[in-house]
Amino acid sequence: QVQLVESGGGLVQAGGSLRLSCAASGRTVNTNFMGWFRQAPGKEREFVAAIRWIGSNTYAADSVKGRFTISRDNAKNTVYLQMDSLKPEDTAVYYCGATSKFIVLATGPYEYWGQGTQVTVSS
């Protein structure tokens, strides 16, 4: 089992920045990728960014490329999502997920999820 706890969400004005954290604990030895997803009211959960747990591979959705950066600190078992130039359309609950698979752009392969953290961007 892997436990994931997100933090760092909040209310920010358009153009501002937030940094989300996802702390992992438990049996992380089988984790290959960590990902961030988001879900706005009435919409499906969508992929934001992912990072290989060991290695340098990263992926990001086109909608956030150039604005969001995913990184990790293996010593702290923590993955970060630095969000800059935030827009009102970035408003959503942001979830961290962990997967032992190598397919990272969809929710299905992720075996573990955090509880989510709310990000609200005001115009």
Side-chain angles (χ1 to χ4, degrees), residues 29-64:
V29 64
N30 295 322
T31 298
N32 277 314
F33 276 92
M34 298 285 289
W36 285 99
F37 287 73
R38 65 187 182 187
Q39 188 166 17
K43 295 187 176 181
E44 293 188 352
R45 194 172 297 189
E46 65 173 5
F47 171 75
V48 175
I51 187 167
R52 186 111 184 239
W53 193 237
I54 303 294
S56 59
N57 304 67
T58 61
Y59 304 89
D62 288 343
S63 59
V64 305

Side-chain angles (χ1 to χ4, degrees), residues 58-108:
T58 61
Y59 304 89
D62 288 343
S63 59
V64 305
K65 281 181 181 177
R67 300 189 299 122
F68 292 10
T69 303
I70 189 170
S71 62
R72 69 172 193 278
D73 184 335
N74 289 98
K76 296 182 178 180
N77 274 2
T78 299
V79 174
Y80 304 97
L81 185 68
Q82 177 66 41
M83 305 187 296
D84 299 317
S85 302
L86 282 161
K87 303 175 182 180
E89 50 263 44
D90 295 318
T91 296
V93 177
Y94 283 69
Y95 295 91
C96 173
T99 179
S100 61
K101 309 296 193 299
F102 292 89
I103 301 171
V104 300
L105 306 186
T107 58

